[in-house]
Amino acid sequence: MELAYIPSPSRGVLYLGPIPLRGYAFCIIIGVFVAVWLGNKRWIARGGRPGTVADIAVWAVPFGLVGGRLYHVITDYELYFSPGRDWVDAFKVWQGGLGIWGAIALGALGAWIGARRRGIPMPAYADAVAPGIAFAQAIGRWGNWFNQELYGRETHVPWALHITSSEGGRVPGYYHPTFLYESLWCIGVALLVIWADRRFKLGHGRAFALYVAAYCVGRGWIEYMRVDDAHHILGLRLNDWTALLVFLLAVTYMVVSSKMRPGREAVVEPGAHEEVRGDEPDTAAGAEDKGEDRAEDEPGDRAEDEPGDKGENRAEVKPQAEDGAEAEPGPVAAKDEAGSATKKS
């Protein structure tokens, strides 16, 4: 008997009257909310409008769910279309079975549609939501715990997962909690992307590419530990090959993008900068108007103070000698003339 282990829930669904409340679905929903919340904060920090991330998520999330389910059904078709199986089960998402590769691929398509409708560059949006997606995966993986699925090889480590269900060919016992390993890895990936984004000012989709590459590294060794049925190619599970291919694509994109478009986007959402700054554009316009007024006034003011004008004024008030000849101005007269010119100006 194991003295320390992770217990499995006795059931993965609770009933509120006739309404089933499924732990798997709750984990997915909570993950989506966290991703949208964090993505919104990062989008605003980059200069975008509040609410834009949620508006685009309305497109991305349904596409992602469909894509995740399609990938699972296609790669594990024998679970639904082989003899003795019911193809209707392919639509029962609440029983588990969402492939992250299909979810990201089709979810990206939905996000692209939403971003295009808003006139937003897709790479900038992807960079903003990347850490949130990783956190959403970390939360969503706990749905596998509720369903007692996707565990690893048998083990006797203190953190072993105790499987009690015998449905679907399960064998009760103690196994590696691969759902927990992947959840912790995803949290690490999210923190890595946040740190790297702040440190290196990643832009043009490179923060998202870093998330993809880092996730693939962890998924590779975690997938290798799993014991659920899967297709194998040259001794490796299909998802291992997928992780390797996607990792290479992500790294290649980071290298090429950093050379072609270094730095980060200056504007991520047209018109958002003016909205965030409020009335500052009006203030700037006012300053320009003031400058124009000052420019208009200065020539006149300076003209009145020109030495030539003062000389003309002095000429008008030159004292005359008693015999009609001009008198040479002495020091006192010159002083009086200057004072008189000052009064006149």
Side-chain angles (χ1 to χ4, degrees):
M1 178 179 179
E2 296 289 335
L3 297 179
Y5 59 86
I6 300 174
S8 292
S10 57
R11 53 182 177 173
V13 57
L14 298 175
Y15 287 91
L16 185 62
I19 303 175
L21 305 177
R22 303 182 183 277
Y24 187 89
F26 269 113
C27 291
I28 299 296
I29 293 172
I30 295 172
V32 169
F33 273 106
V34 170
V36 172
W37 170 79
L38 181 58
N40 183 65
K41 289 176 64 69
R42 287 173 52 81
W43 184 251
I44 294 173
R46 287 185 175 230
R49 291 189 181 96
T52 297
V53 169
D55 292 343
I56 297 178
V58 171
W59 289 88
V61 173
F63 272 72
L65 291 175
V66 172
R69 189 60 176 178
L70 280 176
Y71 181 88
H72 168 72
V73 172
I74 291 173
T75 55
D76 293 302
Y77 61 89
E78 67 278 357
L79 298 177
Y80 308 100
F81 302 104
S82 59
R85 299 284 185 170
D86 187 358
W87 63 271
V88 177
D89 292 341
F91 297 95
K92 297 180 180 179
V93 181
W94 56 87
Q95 293 182 354
L98 291 175
I100 186 60
W101 314 113
I104 294 297
L106 215 55
L109 174 61
W112 178 81
I113 294 173
R116 185 176 177 83
R117 290 167 60 90
R118 298 289 295 265
I120 292 171
M122 180 61 188
Y125 179 82
D127 285 340
V129 301
I133 295 176
F135 279 126
Q137 288 180 251
I139 297 171
R141 271 304 173 198
W142 284 85
N144 302 133
W145 176 68
F146 281 101
N147 287 354
Q148 297 197 38
E149 60 184 0
L150 302 187
Y151 44 86
R153 295 188 294 268
E154 191 172 6
T155 184
H156 298 287
V157 296
W159 56 88
L161 175 65
H162 187 199
I163 297 297
T164 59
S165 174
S166 57
E167 297 181 4
R170 299 182 184 92
V171 178
Y174 299 90
Y175 300 89
H176 276 287
T178 52
F179 83 91
L180 177 60
Y181 298 160
E182 186 167 340
S183 179
L184 295 175
W185 184 267
C186 288
I187 292 175
V189 169
L191 297 177
L192 171 65
V193 174
I194 292 174
W195 171 82
D197 194 24
R198 291 177 178 175
R199 175 66 176 81
F200 303 105
K201 302 297 181 183
L202 301 177
H204 302 286
R206 288 187 289 276
F208 185 82
L210 175 61
Y211 144 72
V212 172
Y215 171 75
C216 289
V217 172
R219 181 60 184 264
W221 69 267
I222 293 171
E223 187 75 21
Y224 184 75
M225 298 178 64
R226 284 168 49 171
V227 295
D228 54 301
D229 292 333
H231 296 285
H232 288 73
I233 302 175
L234 300 177
L236 287 179
R237 293 164 65 96
L238 175 61
N239 283 332
D240 277 323
W241 286 107
T242 304
L244 178 60
L245 175 61
V246 175
F247 170 80
L248 294 175
L249 291 175
V251 172
T252 302
Y253 177 87
M254 291 179 64
V255 174
V256 175
S257 175
S258 62
K259 293 181 178 180
M260 296 182 61
R261 307 186 69 182
R264 179 184 287 179
E265 299 90 344
V267 177
V268 297
E269 187 167 3
H273 185 66
E274 287 75 7
E275 292 183 6
V276 172
R277 295 184 63 182
D279 59 352
E280 285 189 16
D282 296 335
T283 304
E288 293 177 0
D289 294 339
K290 290 179 181 178
E292 292 176 0
D293 295 339
R294 191 181 301 113
E296 293 174 0
D297 295 341
E298 284 178 358
D301 296 340
R302 292 175 181 173
E304 292 179 3
D305 294 335
E306 287 295 329
D309 294 342
K310 290 182 180 180
E312 293 176 0
N313 293 336
R314 282 198 298 270
E316 293 176 0
V317 296
K318 282 184 178 181
Q320 300 290 328
E322 291 182 357
D323 58 357
E326 289 185 3
E328 290 296 329
V332 177
K335 186 177 182 180
D336 293 339
E337 288 173 6
S340 180
T342 304
K343 289 179 181 179
K344 214 170 182 184
S345 62

